[in-house]
């Protein structure tokens, strides 16, 4: 790729902490097909984003550490290191645990997409994709990961969410959540014990303009459960068959 390591940073320094609505978000495009990378760069820049590129998985890891993007657009099939492995590494490292990742897959098998989400991606899109749809998802994900209210605290049972520091604790222990799981838990904490259908959760957490499969919700609920319920702790996410989910301590 033609990315120059010496390119001067434009405007505010990149990185999730320093991102404000005034700064142009930095998107790392991880793509080994030059034509697709060029097309993505062109469209993203035209839409107000800054773009960094990596042509293989190893380069992606290096660019994430050096350039601290606000979001990663990650191709599934990559040389050197697969997109799945890149995503695993992003989630393993505390500094990038909450970095928004959209997986781009040429595979049409739903199983693979779900596998991508299970690996830690926040969203996925299948090639060939519609650029407007991709831009909508990028914006929604950035909104979710940066939309931190100026103050406030939400609590339920032994779960505590500090909206200022974006920290979640359960019984005094730190709980690490991805951006989607955080928004999901925030929404549940705002409406404890109320049952929400998958479609309602999609509208509230993903946004009404985002078209994702209702079972995407199941994937993120699974991930939320895995993070907040540890050991023999009570599962506070109640599944209501044929109805949806609720944050509740009474599980029946
Ligand atoms: Ca590829």
């Amino acid at each position: 790729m033609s990315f120059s390591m010496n390119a001067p940073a434009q405007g505010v320094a990149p990185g999730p902490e320093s991102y404000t609505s005034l700064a142009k978000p930095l998107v790392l495009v991880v793509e080994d097909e030059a034509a697709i990378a060029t097309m993505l760069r062109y469209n993203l820049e035209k839409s107000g984003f800054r773009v960094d590129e990596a042509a293989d998985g190893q380069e992606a890891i290096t660019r994430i550490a050096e350039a601290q993007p606000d979001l990663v657009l990650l191709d599934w099939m990559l040389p050197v290191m697969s997109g799945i492995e890149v995503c695993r590494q992003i989630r393993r490292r505390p500094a990038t645990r909450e970095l928004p990742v959209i997986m781009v897959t040429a595979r049409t098998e739903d199983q693979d997409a779900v596998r991508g989400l299970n690996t830690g991606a926040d969203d996925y899109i299948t090639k060939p994709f519609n650029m407007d749809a991709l831009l909508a998802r990028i914006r929604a994900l950035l909104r979710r990961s940066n939309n931190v209210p100026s103050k406030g605290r939400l609590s339920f049972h032994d779960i505590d969410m500090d909206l200022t520091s974006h920290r979640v604790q359960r019984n005094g222990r730190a709980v690490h959540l991805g951006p989607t799981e955080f928004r999901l838990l925030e929404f549940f904490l705002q409406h404890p014990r109320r049952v929400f259908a998958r479609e309602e959760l999609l509208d509230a957490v993903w946004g009404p303009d985002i078209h994702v499969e209702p079972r995407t919700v199941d994937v993120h609920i699974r991930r939320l459960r895995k993070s907040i319920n540890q050991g023999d702790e009570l599962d506070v996410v109640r599944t209501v068959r044929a109805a949806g989910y609720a944050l509740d301590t009474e599980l029946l």
Side-chain angles (χ1 to χ4, degrees):
M1 283 297 119
S2 59
F3 180 83
S4 161
M5 303 247 302
N6 299 319
Q10 297 159 25
V12 178
E17 273 76 38
S18 60
Y19 169 57
T20 71
S21 57
L22 295 173
K24 287 183 172 186
L26 178 65
V27 175
L28 174 64
V29 172
V30 186
E31 174 60 70
D32 58 314
E33 288 172 63
I36 296 177
T38 303
M39 182 276 287
L40 284 169
R41 176 186 279 278
Y42 172 79
N43 282 287
L44 286 165
E45 286 180 344
K46 205 175 68 175
S47 305
F49 296 95
R50 289 177 299 130
V51 176
D52 192 4
E53 289 180 27
D56 65 58
Q58 190 57 56
E59 194 186 351
I61 294 295
T62 307
R63 293 310 308 147
I64 288 165
E66 288 179 2
Q68 296 185 299
D70 296 297
L71 183 143
V72 180
L73 210 52
L74 181 60
D75 188 29
W76 174 295
M77 298 292 276
L78 287 169
V80 188
M81 186 193 294
S82 74
I84 289 280
E85 183 51 31
V86 172
C87 197
R88 279 201 193 104
Q89 294 207 15
I90 289 172
R91 289 293 171 257
R92 256 204 306 270
R93 294 174 190 186
T96 56
R97 190 165 284 148
E98 298 191 9
L99 176 61
V101 175
I102 297 179
M103 195 75 97
V104 182
T105 167
R107 305 179 176 204
T108 48
E109 292 286 318
D110 279 354
Q111 251 340 87
D112 287 338
V114 169
R115 242 182 83 206
L117 289 176
N118 277 332
T119 311
D122 297 284
D123 202 351
Y124 68 91
I125 194 155
T126 309
K127 285 182 194 170
F129 49 81
N130 172 292
M131 197 62 213
D132 288 336
L134 178 60
L135 285 167
R137 283 164 181 229
I138 288 173
R139 291 198 182 99
L141 202 47
L142 283 173
R143 229 176 10 247
R144 290 210 303 276
S145 64
N146 290 296
N147 188 11
V148 187
S150 57
K151 56 182 173 182
R153 220 180 175 87
L154 292 166
S155 298
F156 176 73
H157 191 51
D158 52 3
I159 296 169
D160 189 67
M161 175 180 276
D162 185 327
L163 294 166
T164 311
S165 64
H166 241 238
R167 288 205 171 90
V168 176
Q169 292 199 331
R170 176 157 192 192
N171 210 8
R173 144 183 88 76
V175 177
H176 300 286
L177 299 173
T180 304
E181 286 71 41
F182 186 93
R183 277 285 301 128
L184 201 51
L185 181 60
E186 183 185 2
F187 183 70
F188 277 134
L189 286 168
Q190 287 163 348
H191 315 274
R193 294 190 187 85
R194 203 181 128 187
V195 179
F196 291 99
R198 289 172 179 79
E199 287 75 10
E200 290 178 297
L201 292 171
L202 283 175
D203 274 2
V205 176
W206 278 256
D209 306 329
I210 303 300
H211 299 287
V212 291
E213 300 233 330
R215 66 198 183 99
T216 301
V217 173
D218 301 354
V219 173
H220 289 280
I221 288 280
R222 217 161 33 237
R223 233 191 273 167
L224 176 62
R225 276 197 170 117
K226 210 174 148 192
S227 300
I228 58 171
N229 305 321
Q230 295 209 345
D232 52 7
E233 282 175 347
L234 179 70
D235 181 2
V236 288
V237 181
R238 176 181 165 217
T239 305
V240 184
R241 210 162 285 281
Y245 297 102
L247 186 68
D248 208 338
T249 47
E250 315 225 333
L251 297 178
L252 294 173

